[in-house]
């Protein structure tokens, strides 16, 4: 089910403050009851919508970039997403980039790269719930390509727009074909003077950080969809 990002009735700053207060007061996720987790994941979706709106509102502009290798960043994000999705019965099949002699580095924006990837995963899983989703990273001399393939054609206007903005900022492009959507990042041979170097989080760190994009842009939505489907099925059973 495609979730359209609608404007918030309150300002973004106020919305973020309210969400921050909620997350600061909430107990750790692994200590929450099922009802608390349902509410928590709904709030994660709210935060994800705020982040998506921010990206789309600022599309076409410049952002502060850091020098680093996007390959381990994406592979760790995908590994974390795979583990979270497996707990809800969503199979993610990962085909990581090959170990090559290419030292693939570029100027990147880690958060946007994560949001774009999480959005495509979310859209693919929503299009065919519990069906396999294939994710492939391909390293080439000039670019890195991340492609998501679903069991059926999928499309989410906001997720695609975020991926397109991510590709633009990373000197790449967006591509859609049949059941696949992907984006690329252009390679750079050397960082510009004064560039800050980036060290990516591990998959385990992303799993522990419930405010990381793998939670706000992916898992929270899957959990909410699963909870909604479960409650709908229970109501149907009671009526029959």
């Amino acid at each position: 089910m495609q979730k359209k990002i609608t404007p918030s009735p309150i300002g973004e700053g106020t919305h973020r403050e309210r969400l921050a207060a909620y997350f600061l007061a909430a107990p750790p996720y692994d200590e929450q009851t099922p009802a608390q987790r349902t509410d928590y994941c709904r709030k994660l979706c709210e935060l994800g919508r705020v982040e998506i709106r921010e990206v789309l509102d600022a599309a076409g502009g410049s952002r502060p970039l850091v020098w680093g290798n996007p390959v381990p960043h994406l592979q760790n994000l995908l590994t974390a997403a795979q583990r979270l999705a497996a707990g809800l019965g969503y199979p993610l099949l990962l085909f990581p980039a090959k170990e090559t002699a290419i030292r693939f580095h570029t100027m990147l924006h880690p958060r946007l790269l994560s949001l774009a990837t999480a959005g495509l995963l979310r859209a693919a899983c929503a299009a065919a719930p519990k069906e396999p989703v294939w994710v492939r990273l391909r390293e080439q001399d000039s670019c890195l390509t991340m492609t998501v393939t679903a069991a059926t054609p999928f499309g989410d206007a906001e997720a695609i727009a975020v991926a397109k903005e991510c590709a633009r900022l990373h000197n790449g492009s967006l591509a859609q074909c049949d059941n696949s959507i992907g984006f690329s990042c252009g390679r750079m041979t050397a960082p510009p003077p004064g560039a800050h170097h980036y060290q990516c989080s591990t998959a385990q760190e992303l799993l522990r950080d419930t405010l990381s994009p793998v939670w706000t842009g992916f898992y929270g939505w899957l959990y909410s969809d699963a909870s909604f489907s479960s409650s709908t099925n229970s109501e149907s059973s009671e009526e029959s």
Side-chain angles (χ1 to χ4, degrees):
M1 179 186 299
Q2 179 175 328
K3 291 182 173 63
K4 187 175 181 180
I5 307 304
T6 55
S8 173
I10 59 177
E12 180 184 327
T14 302
H15 199 171
R16 284 185 180 273
E17 288 177 3
R18 291 181 181 178
L19 289 171
Y22 169 83
F23 288 121
L24 286 171
Y29 186 77
D30 57 4
E31 297 177 11
Q32 294 177 12
T33 66
Q36 288 175 321
R37 289 189 175 190
T38 296
D39 188 47
Y40 192 89
C41 285
R42 286 173 181 163
K43 290 294 192 297
L44 287 176
C45 292
E46 284 187 37
L47 180 56
R49 292 185 184 99
V50 170
E51 293 181 319
I52 291 169
R53 278 198 303 272
E54 187 277 326
V55 170
L56 299 183
D57 288 346
S62 60
R63 289 176 179 268
L65 304 178
V66 293
W67 175 257
N69 185 349
V71 175
H73 173 85
L74 287 172
Q75 290 185 160
N76 291 345
L77 177 81
L78 292 170
T79 297
Q82 183 184 51
R83 293 176 185 174
L84 289 171
L88 297 176
Y90 286 81
L92 293 184
L93 308 179
L94 308 182
F95 298 88
K98 296 180 180 179
E99 293 293 334
T100 68
I102 301 173
R103 288 182 55 81
F104 194 100
H105 282 73
T106 191
M107 293 299 292
L108 55 90
H109 192 284
R111 188 86 181 177
L112 181 52
L113 199 59
S114 297
L115 287 171
T117 302
L120 293 184
L121 292 178
R122 181 179 72 242
C125 289
K130 307 301 178 71
E131 294 292 327
V133 170
W134 296 265
V135 188
R136 185 180 299 275
L137 291 177
R138 292 188 180 92
E139 279 186 45
Q140 297 174 307
D141 286 332
S142 60
C143 69
L144 172 74
T145 302
M146 201 286 299
T147 306
V148 177
T149 302
T152 62
F154 67 101
D156 178 312
E158 285 83 14
I160 292 172
V162 170
K164 184 176 181 180
E165 173 63 8
C166 179
R168 180 198 68 81
L169 196 66
H170 293 87
N171 296 314
S173 60
L174 179 78
Q176 295 179 252
C177 180
D178 298 328
N179 299 357
S180 299
I181 301 178
F183 64 88
S184 60
C185 300
R187 177 177 178 264
M188 294 180 64
T189 56
H196 293 284
H197 291 253
Y198 170 69
Q199 295 292 326
C200 67
S201 300
T202 65
Q204 196 59 39
E205 288 170 337
L206 292 172
L207 288 169
R208 289 196 300 265
D209 180 7
T210 55
L211 298 184
S212 70
V214 74
W215 285 78
T216 64
F218 178 61
Y219 181 73
W221 303 66
L222 260 64
Y223 189 98
S224 296
D225 283 348
S227 297
F228 176 78
S229 298
S230 178
S231 62
T232 300
N233 291 337
S234 296
E235 290 173 2
S236 298
S237 297
E238 291 176 0
E239 291 175 358
S240 61

